[in-house]
Amino acid sequence: MIWNENAECMSRDKMRELQGIRLKRTVEKVYQNCVPYRQQMTEKGITPNDIKSIEDIAKLPFTSKKDLRDNYPFGLLCCQMSNVVRIHASSGTTGKPIVVGYTRNDLNIWNEVGARCFSAYGINRNDTVQVSYGYGLFTGGLGAHSAVETFGGTVIPISSGNTEKQIMLMHDLKTTALACTPSYALYLAEALEQSPYNRKEFKLKTGVFGAEPWTEGMRKELEDKLQIKAYDIYGLTEIIGPGVGHECRCQNGTHICEDHFYPEIVDPETGNPLPEGQTGELVFSTITKSGMPLLRFRTRDLTKLNYKKCDCGRTSVRMEKILGRCDDMLIIRGVNVFPSQIETVICEIPELEPHYLITVDRETNNLDTFEVKVEVKENHYCDEMGKMLELKKHIAHKLQNVLGILPNLKLVEPKSIQRSQGKAKRVVDNRKLK
Ligand code: ADP
Ligand code: ZN
């Protein structure tokens, strides 16, 4: 199902033309209405007249989280405060919150792209969607909520937490789609298994998961455990919350709503644009927003883009699942490690549960320590030292092969690692404190 065929299946030439027109308009708007933007452009020696087509985007300065913090809370607003109808803030995973104001028009855009997401998953007005993302300053809850109302589905605005009640309502209200973080979905899967109900008594068929990185391995875990189809939804507060991008039935890349959010991939070190297919930092320019439009915003998220037409019929560019944020990359004894690499290995090993915790520390002799705790499945966890040691050796070897470094692996009992109701915290880096 395609919500807006005109926008989602537009030819590449037409799309670029539209993006050019919208970019130009946005640049004019920020130049006129926002002092920090005008200053930055002046420093680069450019004016809105230098932006004639989408290719000219590379002339523009970047915006970063730091710019948002320096202009906290509303210094980058391009409209009168009276036109702001909603405020959201980033959940502060990486420091002080970033505050964003949205106009009525911005919320309309959000609803439009949100409805595109759910339509792409095959969810429609006959569906009942349990929104178990947190409601509040975080964009997840209200974002998914308004999207469902826009296409006319039924929303259960339960927010996150209260897991037993989640299962009860999922059962009693015949929830067909669950929207939450993949880590909370995993927790709910466990709760469902332990509940007095049988899976057959539920109507759940679709998962709408995002707000944190998750691997293909995790998708498989969730699809098996919950017996659903699990789809990615991507977004960030600064741009527009969930709805910036979404998977389709092909589950082969996250389509970006590029008629509203223009993506680029740049080298995270130098900021130089990278060619199609290369992994780098995702950068977005909002080209239709009016509250706090952002030009060339550095997301810190790492991925790559694919401009080939998708089998679903959409022509919109697709991004690969986010590898992680630049800040998520751990450098352990000189080796670069992404938590998502560890997740991939863990999900491939049948004896393991997909629950893990990475702890990095530094010893007095300046050597990094690297510990990975992972849960063993109930039926594989045993007191036989020999068996457990053998399993441990096998897993450690696999991790070393992928990471290039051997972790201190700890196999732990099922359900001993803390579960997450929102964005999971899977890394403890104690070196930062030293
Ligand atoms: P915070 O930066 O405080 O977490 P947000 O709630 O705005 O604030 O989170 C946006 C970030 O969440 C994105 O930049 C990205 O790192 C992550 N994210 C959101 N959706 C996904 C997704 N589908 N896959 C991977 N990461 C995601
Ligand atoms: Zn598609």
Side-chain angles (χ1 to χ4, degrees):
M1 265 177 291
I2 297 179
W3 176 258
N4 183 340
E5 197 166 335
N6 185 29
E8 296 176 72
C9 306
M10 199 179 280
S11 74
R12 185 53 41 199
D13 286 349
K14 266 190 116 174
M15 178 61 80
R16 289 191 74 77
E17 196 188 323
L18 178 71
Q19 288 167 330
I21 294 167
R22 291 181 166 179
L23 175 70
K24 192 169 170 51
R25 245 186 252 152
T26 304
V27 172
E28 275 159 8
K29 186 179 298 163
V30 302
Y31 192 81
Q32 297 298 336
N33 298 298
C34 182
V35 176
Y37 263 116
R38 191 162 53 238
Q39 270 170 356
Q40 277 204 356
M41 284 173 65
T42 308
E43 272 166 34
K44 276 213 138 193
I46 51 169
T47 70
N49 288 335
D50 293 301
I51 308 302
K52 298 194 172 64
S53 69
I54 194 69
E55 277 77 34
D56 294 325
I57 197 160
K59 295 178 184 165
L60 293 166
F62 288 116
T63 321
S64 66
K65 284 185 192 282
K66 183 173 181 301
D67 293 312
L68 279 138
R69 289 205 177 97
D70 290 349
N71 293 288
Y72 177 89
F74 296 125
L76 292 184
L77 212 60
C78 283
C79 67
Q80 299 292 321
M81 201 56 207
S82 56
N83 288 327
V84 171
V85 298
R86 172 106 61 86
I87 289 166
H88 278 287
S90 82
S91 49
T93 322
T94 51
K96 204 177 166 190
I98 280 167
V99 178
V100 181
Y102 303 78
T103 61
R104 181 70 256 167
N105 183 56
D106 295 339
L107 294 189
N108 291 345
I109 292 167
W110 195 359
N111 290 343
E112 154 75 23
V113 294
R116 286 187 201 174
C117 299
F118 283 81
S119 303
Y121 313 139
I123 297 174
N124 59 40
R125 46 183 306 125
N126 298 319
D127 280 285
T128 298
V129 185
Q130 186 158 336
V131 178
S132 310
Y133 285 111
Y135 279 62
L137 284 173
F138 171 51
T139 53
L142 282 167
H145 180 107
S146 308
V148 178
E149 285 188 349
T150 301
F151 67 79
T154 307
V155 195
I156 306 176
I158 187 164
S159 191
S160 61
N162 211 341
T163 304
E164 266 176 40
K165 191 169 172 190
Q166 299 264 359
I167 301 297
M168 183 185 81
L169 291 185
M170 187 184 286
H171 174 268
D172 297 353
L173 307 184
K174 301 187 170 45
T175 300
T176 57
L178 170 67
C180 63
T181 60
S183 54
Y184 193 41
L186 204 56
Y187 186 2
L188 286 169
E190 220 167 57
L192 196 149
E193 214 171 87
Q194 284 160 12
S195 75
Y197 311 111
N198 186 306
R199 173 62 183 88
K200 289 197 188 76
E201 297 171 54
F202 291 83
K203 298 280 179 242
L204 195 66
K205 54 182 200 296
T206 315
V208 179
F209 302 143
E212 63 183 2
W214 56 307
T215 57
E216 280 304 323
M218 188 60 84
R219 187 206 309 271
K220 202 172 168 305
E221 292 276 354
L222 288 166
E223 292 194 333
D224 289 351
K225 283 193 154 84
L226 284 166
Q227 295 166 42
I228 56 168
K229 278 276 182 196
Y231 298 102
D232 185 52
I233 186 161
Y234 172 83
L236 58 165
T237 316
E238 296 87 340
I239 302 303
I240 207 136
V244 174
H246 58 83
E247 276 182 336
C248 62
R249 301 301 279 271
C250 305
Q251 294 181 318
N252 186 20
T254 297
H255 287 277
I256 293 173
C257 298
E258 55 170 319
D259 51 328
H260 294 287
F261 318 112
Y262 181 78
E264 296 172 85
I265 298 286
V266 304
D267 181 321
E269 299 296 324
T270 63
N272 292 333
L274 292 175
E276 179 180 351
Q278 273 200 36
T279 300
E281 182 181 349
L282 184 60
V283 171
F284 276 114
S285 299
T286 67
I287 52 176
T288 50
K289 272 176 77 181
S290 47
M292 201 183 275
L294 288 179
L295 293 176
R296 306 194 83 200
F297 177 69
R298 308 275 299 246
T299 65
R300 315 288 291 143
D301 290 329
L302 298 169
T303 184
K304 58 181 168 189
L305 298 179
N306 169 8
Y307 285 88
K308 283 187 205 77
K309 182 178 170 184
C310 181
D311 289 342
C312 71
R314 289 177 184 80
T315 51
S316 48
V317 61
R318 280 170 286 164
M319 67 177 190
E320 200 169 74
K321 266 184 167 312
I322 303 278
L323 174 65
R325 300 189 196 198
C326 311
D327 335 73
D328 290 340
M329 190 181 78
L330 294 160
I331 306 179
I332 308 168
R333 283 175 239 147
V335 180
N336 299 348
V337 174
F338 277 100
S340 56
Q341 292 175 295
I342 297 176
E343 182 174 300
T344 299
V345 173
I346 288 173
C347 290
E348 276 170 3
I349 299 172
E351 290 90 346
L352 297 180
E353 289 287 357
H355 294 281
Y356 60 97
L357 183 71
I358 303 158
T359 309
V360 192
D361 209 334
R362 184 159 290 161
E363 289 175 345
T364 35
N365 56 4
N366 259 340
L367 199 71
D368 294 334
T369 59
F370 172 30
E371 180 192 274
V372 178
K373 257 192 201 144
V374 56
E375 286 182 15
V376 178
K377 281 201 178 120
E378 194 94 56
N379 50 342
H380 286 97
Y381 196 82
C382 66
D383 294 334
E384 264 181 71
M385 279 286 274
K387 265 202 176 151
M388 291 305 276
L389 273 175
E390 201 179 302
L391 180 63
K392 186 174 153 177
K393 235 169 91 183
H394 166 69
I395 300 163
H397 180 72
K398 275 205 153 179
L399 282 167
Q400 185 177 25
N401 265 349
V402 171
L403 308 175
I405 177 170
L406 182 69
N408 174 13
L409 183 69
K410 291 218 165 116
L411 298 182
V412 298
E413 272 181 72
K415 306 202 177 62
S416 56
I417 292 174
Q418 198 182 354
R419 304 300 188 240
S420 149
Q421 302 188 343
K423 297 188 188 226
K425 186 166 169 39
R426 294 206 171 93
V427 180
V428 180
D429 192 343
N430 292 321
R431 297 174 302 183
K432 286 182 183 152
L433 306 169
K434 292 185 175 164

